[in-house]
Amino acid sequence: MADKDWQASGKALVPARAVFCLIGLVLPFGAARGAPDDFAPQSYIGSAAPEVVWELAIGSIVVCAFLAAVALWILSALRRAQRLQLRRNAFVSSALNNLSQGVVMTDSQNRIVFCNDRYLEIYGLSRSDIVKGMTGRELTALRRSRGLLDVSAEEFYANVHTPEGVVTGLPGGRSVLVRYFVLPNGGSVGTHEDCSEQRKLSRQLAKTKQFLESVLDNVPVCVSVTSIDDGRYIFANRVFERFSGLSRDEIVGKRADEIFPPATAASIAEEDRAALNSREGQSHGEFVVEHDQQKRILAFNRVVARDQNNRPEFLITLLDDVTERQSLSRELENAKKFLELVVDNIPVSLIVQRVSDGQYLLANRSAEAILNRRREDATGLTAADIFNSREAKLIVARDEAAIKKRGLLTEEHPISTREGLRLFLTRRMTVLDESGEPQYLIKTHEDVTDRRQTESRMAHMAYHDGLTDLPNRAAFLQALAQMIEACAGSDEEFAVLCVDLDGLKEINDVFGHAVGDKLLIEVARRIQASARGGVVARLSGDEFGLIIDGKQPAAGWALAEQLAEAMSNEFVIDGKSVRTGLTTGISIFPHNGSDAAALLANASAALFRAKAKSRGSIGVYEPEMDQQIRDRRVLHQDLSLAIKNGELSLYYQPQAVARHTVAESEVIGFEALARWLHPVRGFVPPSDFIPLAEESGLIVEMGEWILRQACREAASWPAPLQVAVNLSPAQFMHGDVVGLVHAILLETGLAPGRLELEITEGVLIEDFDRGLALLRRLKALGVRVSMDDFGSGYSSLSYLQAFPFDKIKIDRAFVMNLGRNPQSASIVRAVIGLGHGLGMSIVAEGVETLEQLGFLADEGCDAVQGYFIGKPAPIGQYMALVGPGLVGSVRKTG
């Protein structure tokens, strides 16, 4: 403050001093003019008047004083200005040195006039490095020499004058932003800002932005952000680009009505308003838009984003095209309904239960019979909740066994139902989870009570005679083999009796087959009563077999006599008295044979001799009876020549649609049957030469001739009727039967669909897999395959399951007893139902009465064959059925 006061007083004295100087200059002149004229100075200088000299001296003094005063004033003013400038410079220097940026100033000659402390700090320089007169380029060169500039000087100066400046790198990863500004006086100012943190943050921000954009771009739904103020898009991800068909740059800045069709834009605007007006600030749902000229269903989620003042700022929208998903959902729902419909209509009970707790999760309608309740009521229950303790314990144990096995477990066991105790075929399959642990147990229960009863009856029929219910020939041979095995190696003996009923043919002719059948039933009862627990079987129509142990031949002879005595009393059948007798042949083990076939054959030989001797007699086998064997050998030789000499011919028996009368039964085909006209013996019965051909192997050659001849003759029929040919198991075991059939079809020109091949289960017994493969190959040729003599073997059902036969032929043993034996009717009815259930047609063989034909027609049998429809005869006799022009065309072929 004193300095400022001093400056003020100095400024006030300057005018005063000037005034005094002027007064001092003027006063001497005034005094001189006021002096008397006679005044004169004491001396003179030169020739000048003294007063002049005096005035000049005083004036000089005055002038000098004035000039001195002016000089003092100027000097004082300069000092004040210099002090003021120093203070200003100190202020500016202090301010610049405290800036966060480095500052360098140069004059018009590019000499450095200022450099603040921050600049030195940034580059690690000291004041001594900045010498007087140093130029800006020299300073730049100094920085580059010290590694403080990572670009060349030319590149540096080329970019430093741009508005953006230039960023240079420093050791340690730091960065400096340099800008130069040119001053009006030609000088320049350069700013140097350490932007390391700023660039680091910028990079982090860019990386974060890129990451977020990448995340949003890879979100599998449309993501967009619109401004609430004007509704313009400020962001859209790649999925939104694909949906709109525009790039992100084309989307940002536009409204929905500038991108989408009017209807779509209106829907979007409506949903946007709904989200803005909602209390939660968000909304979700679905709406329909038009996209690529298609109606698409979009699921949306909209969220309102607010600023720090909780005011709506952005609207974030997620759109997902769920058209295909909903279509798939509908398809899945339809598939679910379809599967539920299928599961509910599966003809077996289906139950699914959870392994962890045993609770039932799923059951179809058929399972309600087992669960004894509605399936909805069974869900969530366990076996212990449904069944009684004994059954539940058994079911749980079997469930645990299936789970432990981790595979299919099949078994049969009884289950209590509302209809009583029923037999079920249960299959259990364990379903594993992803880790391989049991998760679910699927169970199917099939009620096989009726089937097993039918199979039991059919198995019984397979080994029992349908009329008398006695064991048949197959069962008798089995029992005989077991007896031989039991007595082998010991001194035990037993006798085999072949008993023939005398006069049965005459009884049938006189009284009818019905009476003859009832007679056979009564004879069987008397034989069983006489045998007293021994084995009794019906071997053929009028032939019975027995096995009796004890001392032989006395025991066998005694039994034969008892049988004869039992038959001596007349039979009263339907009010008619009928008499008959027995002729018996006996063979003894081990003297007359060591195997079942030999013993039975020798007993038959003894019977043959006894019948030849006298009806009602008893014959015991003797070695001389081997002559019959020799006769069979002769017959075998004759048969082999018969094939070569053309002695065989074909007879045809018609097959017709099953109707109530013969007139209504339309013929649909014929079965080809071989006949042998021996030059000496005359007609040899098929029952004699067919078994002989099969035993000797001639059946292969004979079968080929029969097949070729039948196809050739059938191809010549004008009417395209079916022709059925029997194939022997031997034909399947020897040679290429498929190739043979194919070659014959090509050779004869017969359409494959007209040929029907009849096989017996013997084709499949020897080698099931091979036989099955051959049958499939035959069917692939287009021919039809039928199962002949169905029901005569115990494996027929399993074969039907293994191969889709076109036709089933019911064995004549069942048909002939229709109307007389209720069991036969039940079996025939069951076979018809079974065949139709498997999609196979049914043919009944041995139809001989109108009553049998009517029964089969009523039961829905497809076709019939038998003497009642037509006897086997040369095809010429059926000319009216196969077409005209065949007389003389059918001939025997060798």
Side-chain angles (χ1 to χ4, degrees):
M1 293 295 294
D3 186 45
K4 292 181 179 179
D5 293 341
W6 178 84
Q7 291 180 16
S9 62
K11 292 178 180 180
L13 290 176
V14 171
R17 290 174 182 173
V19 170
F20 283 125
C21 288
L22 290 176
I23 293 174
L25 181 63
V26 173
L27 285 178
F29 289 98
R33 284 193 299 269
D37 296 335
D38 59 357
F39 176 76
Q42 296 293 322
S43 62
Y44 296 90
I45 299 173
S47 58
E51 59 273 20
V52 174
V53 175
W54 178 251
E55 290 179 355
L56 290 173
I58 295 174
S60 299
I61 294 171
V62 172
V63 170
C64 290
F66 178 76
L67 293 174
V70 171
L72 290 173
W73 180 79
I74 292 171
L75 181 60
S76 176
L78 288 175
R79 286 179 178 176
R80 287 197 304 276
Q82 186 176 10
R83 286 193 298 272
L84 180 60
Q85 185 64 36
L86 288 175
R87 285 196 298 273
R88 288 177 178 174
N89 288 346
F91 174 75
V92 171
S93 177
S94 176
L96 293 177
N97 282 327
N98 286 279
L99 290 176
S100 62
Q101 298 175 334
V103 178
V104 176
M105 299 182 180
T106 60
D107 56 15
S108 56
Q109 283 77 37
N110 198 28
R111 293 191 299 264
I112 297 174
V113 297
F114 180 76
C115 174
N116 70 348
D117 294 340
R118 179 58 180 161
Y119 177 87
L120 300 176
E121 180 184 350
I122 289 173
Y123 294 108
L125 302 176
S126 61
R127 288 288 176 185
S128 60
D129 295 326
I130 312 300
V131 299
K132 186 177 182 180
M134 176 180 284
T135 64
R137 287 189 174 273
E138 291 174 343
L139 182 57
T140 301
L142 174 64
R143 286 168 43 209
R144 183 168 175 77
S145 65
R146 295 189 179 184
L148 302 176
L149 183 63
D150 59 350
V151 297
S152 64
E154 291 74 12
E155 183 180 354
F156 175 79
Y157 282 108
N159 298 319
V160 75
H161 294 289
T162 62
E164 295 80 12
V166 63
V167 177
T168 63
L170 297 180
R174 293 189 301 137
S175 301
V176 178
L177 174 63
V178 182
R179 293 190 180 95
Y180 265 33
F181 306 94
V182 179
L183 300 177
N185 63 356
S188 65
V189 176
T191 61
H192 299 253
E193 182 179 3
D194 190 339
C195 61
S196 302
E197 291 299 324
Q198 181 180 353
R199 284 175 62 83
K200 182 179 179 181
L201 292 175
S202 297
R203 286 192 297 269
Q204 291 178 348
L205 179 61
K207 186 180 297 184
T208 301
K209 179 181 178 183
Q210 182 180 6
F211 170 74
L212 293 177
E213 288 184 354
S214 176
V215 170
L216 294 176
D217 280 342
N218 287 280
V219 172
V221 297
C222 297
V223 180
S224 63
V225 181
T226 55
S227 173
I228 291 180
D229 295 335
D230 54 11
R232 298 185 182 276
Y233 288 98
I234 59 178
F235 175 78
N237 69 346
R238 298 298 181 197
V239 179
F240 194 92
E241 288 181 342
R242 291 194 294 270
F243 175 73
S244 64
L246 302 174
S247 66
R248 184 178 301 175
D249 296 336
E250 293 174 310
I251 296 172
V252 173
K254 293 182 179 180
R255 296 187 303 273
D257 57 3
E258 298 176 290
I259 298 175
F260 300 103
T264 301
S267 298
I268 293 175
E270 180 181 355
E271 298 300 338
D272 288 348
R273 287 192 297 271
L276 292 173
N277 296 332
S278 66
R279 297 179 59 183
E280 298 82 5
Q282 61 182 9
S283 65
H284 59 86
E286 295 178 353
F287 65 98
V288 179
V289 301
E290 184 177 346
H291 179 63
D292 290 340
Q293 299 181 348
Q294 293 181 350
K295 297 293 185 180
R296 310 296 292 181
I297 303 174
L298 299 182
F300 66 85
N301 278 281
R302 285 175 164 83
V303 179
V304 178
R306 301 178 179 273
D307 59 13
Q308 62 271 19
N309 297 321
N310 201 31
R311 289 176 300 186
E313 185 174 9
F314 305 116
L315 182 63
I316 303 173
T317 303
L318 280 73
L319 300 177
D320 189 11
D321 189 342
V322 296
T323 309
E324 283 77 11
R325 188 187 308 165
Q326 288 200 352
S327 176
L328 181 60
S329 297
R330 287 193 296 271
E331 291 179 5
L332 290 175
E333 184 65 25
N334 293 336
K336 179 183 177 182
K337 292 180 179 178
F338 171 74
L339 291 177
E340 289 178 350
L341 182 64
V342 170
V343 169
D344 273 348
N345 288 277
I346 292 176
V348 297
S349 302
L350 175 65
I351 298 174
V352 180
Q353 69 184 69
R354 190 163 43 223
V355 170
S356 58
D357 53 14
Q359 289 186 358
Y360 292 123
L361 305 178
L362 173 69
N364 65 353
R365 293 297 179 194
S366 300
E368 294 178 348
I370 293 178
L371 300 174
N372 296 316
R373 67 198 67 207
R374 296 169 59 250
R375 62 175 182 173
E376 293 83 359
D377 300 334
T379 303
L381 301 181
T382 64
D385 301 326
I386 296 175
F387 303 100
N388 61 57
S389 58
R390 185 179 60 83
E391 289 184 338
K393 185 176 181 180
L394 174 63
I395 292 173
V396 170
R398 302 315 300 158
D399 290 347
E400 291 176 351
I403 295 170
K404 184 177 181 180
K405 183 180 179 183
R406 300 192 177 190
L408 179 63
L409 183 63
T410 304
E411 61 185 0
E412 293 183 6
H413 56 85
I415 298 178
S416 297
T417 67
R418 294 173 180 173
E419 299 177 359
L421 195 64
R422 306 285 292 179
L423 182 64
F424 284 88
L425 173 64
T426 301
R427 298 179 178 89
R428 291 174 169 86
M429 173 60 73
T430 305
V431 179
L432 306 180
D433 59 16
E434 296 178 354
S435 60
E437 294 299 321
Q439 187 175 17
Y440 302 111
L441 182 65
I442 301 176
K443 297 190 290 186
T444 61
H445 303 275
E446 183 179 0
D447 190 339
V448 294
T449 308
D450 298 335
R451 185 196 303 175
R452 292 295 179 261
Q453 290 174 351
T454 300
E455 290 176 353
S456 177
R457 287 195 299 268
M458 295 186 71
H460 179 82
M461 293 296 291
Y463 284 95
H464 290 77
D465 176 54
L467 179 63
T468 63
D469 201 36
L470 290 177
N472 59 12
R473 177 180 292 269
F476 185 76
L477 289 173
Q478 283 189 358
L480 188 53
Q482 293 172 359
M483 194 72 172
I484 293 171
E485 184 179 355
C487 297
S490 67
D491 57 356
E492 293 289 335
E493 293 180 326
F494 63 86
V496 177
L497 281 68
C498 280
V499 179
D500 185 73
L501 186 62
D502 297 334
L504 179 62
K505 183 178 183 304
E506 290 77 10
I507 293 173
N508 286 332
D509 293 340
V510 174
F511 299 104
H513 287 279
V515 173
D517 289 342
K518 291 180 181 179
L519 174 62
L520 286 171
I521 294 174
E522 291 301 323
V523 167
R525 289 175 180 171
R526 293 188 183 185
I527 292 176
Q528 281 185 301
S530 299
R532 299 178 182 177
V535 177
V536 180
R538 185 185 179 195
L539 303 181
S540 63
D542 56 357
E543 186 177 348
F544 295 84
L546 295 90
I547 303 175
I548 182 69
D549 57 0
K551 187 64 177 177
Q552 303 300 336
W557 193 278
L559 177 58
E561 289 179 338
Q562 292 175 11
L563 293 174
E565 183 180 356
M567 299 299 130
S568 62
N569 298 324
E570 66 179 14
F571 295 86
V572 179
I573 299 175
D574 294 339
K576 303 177 180 66
S577 296
V578 179
R579 288 184 177 276
T580 186
L582 295 179
T583 303
T584 305
I586 303 173
S587 65
I588 301 172
F589 175 85
H591 310 293
N592 302 144
S594 60
D595 60 79
L599 285 171
L600 185 57
N602 291 337
S604 298
L607 174 62
F608 180 78
R609 170 171 284 192
K611 289 170 64 177
K613 179 180 178 182
S614 173
R615 288 284 181 177
S617 62
I618 302 172
V620 179
Y621 175 78
E622 297 176 1
E624 299 85 48
M625 297 178 181
D626 286 340
Q627 179 63 40
Q628 291 182 338
I629 300 176
R630 289 191 290 270
D631 291 342
R632 288 175 62 84
R633 290 175 181 172
V634 173
L635 188 63
H636 171 260
Q637 293 175 355
D638 292 345
L639 181 59
S640 63
L641 293 175
I643 299 173
K644 299 176 182 178
N645 297 334
E647 298 173 8
L648 297 179
S649 63
L650 291 183
Y651 276 34
Y652 293 88
Q653 186 173 28
Q655 297 176 340
V657 177
R659 295 291 184 264
H660 289 84
T661 64
V662 175
E664 295 175 348
S665 302
E666 178 188 358
V667 174
I668 57 176
F670 293 88
E671 179 179 2
L673 302 170
R675 292 295 183 264
W676 180 16
L677 180 58
H678 194 278
V680 177
R681 302 179 184 225
F683 273 104
V684 180
S687 59
D688 288 346
F689 72 84
I690 293 296
L692 183 62
E694 290 185 344
E695 292 174 10
S696 62
L698 288 174
I699 193 66
V700 176
E701 183 181 356
M702 182 187 301
E704 180 179 346
W705 179 87
I706 295 172
L707 179 62
R708 178 175 284 105
Q709 185 66 15
C711 290
R712 180 181 292 115
E713 293 184 2
S716 67
W717 300 345
L721 300 176
Q722 295 275 336
V723 59
V725 180
N726 287 277
L727 290 184
S728 169
Q731 293 177 265
F732 282 80
M733 296 304 295
H734 304 89
D736 182 10
V737 66
V738 180
L740 174 65
V741 172
H742 189 207
I744 291 176
L745 289 173
L746 295 176
E747 174 188 336
T748 61
L750 181 68
R754 293 180 57 195
L755 177 61
E756 180 178 306
L757 300 177
E758 296 185 1
I759 66 127
T760 61
E761 65 182 22
V763 170
L764 299 170
I765 288 177
E766 294 295 334
D767 189 340
F768 179 80
D769 293 335
R770 183 176 181 274
L772 192 62
L774 291 175
L775 289 178
R776 287 173 176 165
R777 289 174 58 195
L778 285 172
K779 196 165 185 180
L781 295 178
V783 302
R784 297 166 62 83
V785 180
S786 65
M787 167 68 83
D788 196 12
D789 299 335
F790 181 77
S792 61
Y794 66 92
S795 301
S796 300
L797 285 179
S798 62
Y799 299 144
L800 291 184
Q801 184 179 6
F803 181 77
F805 289 93
D806 297 289
K807 185 182 292 184
I808 297 175
K809 298 192 72 175
I810 303 177
D811 188 70
R812 66 180 65 251
F814 301 135
V815 177
M816 63 185 297
N817 293 315
L818 290 177
R820 298 187 297 269
N821 188 333
Q823 286 186 335
S824 294
S826 299
I827 294 298
V828 171
R829 187 180 295 112
V831 172
I832 293 174
L834 176 65
H836 288 170
L838 295 173
M840 304 174 187
S841 61
I842 306 298
V843 178
E845 291 185 294
V847 178
E848 298 181 356
T849 66
L850 181 62
E851 182 183 6
Q852 294 170 353
L853 179 62
F855 175 85
L856 294 169
D858 290 337
E859 294 300 328
C861 185
D862 299 287
V864 292
Q865 178 182 345
Y867 274 32
F868 193 69
I869 304 299
K871 296 180 179 181
I875 196 62
Q877 294 188 17
Y878 294 106
M879 179 181 62
L881 298 176
V882 298
L886 291 180
V887 177
S889 65
V890 178
R891 59 182 177 85
K892 293 183 288 183
T893 304

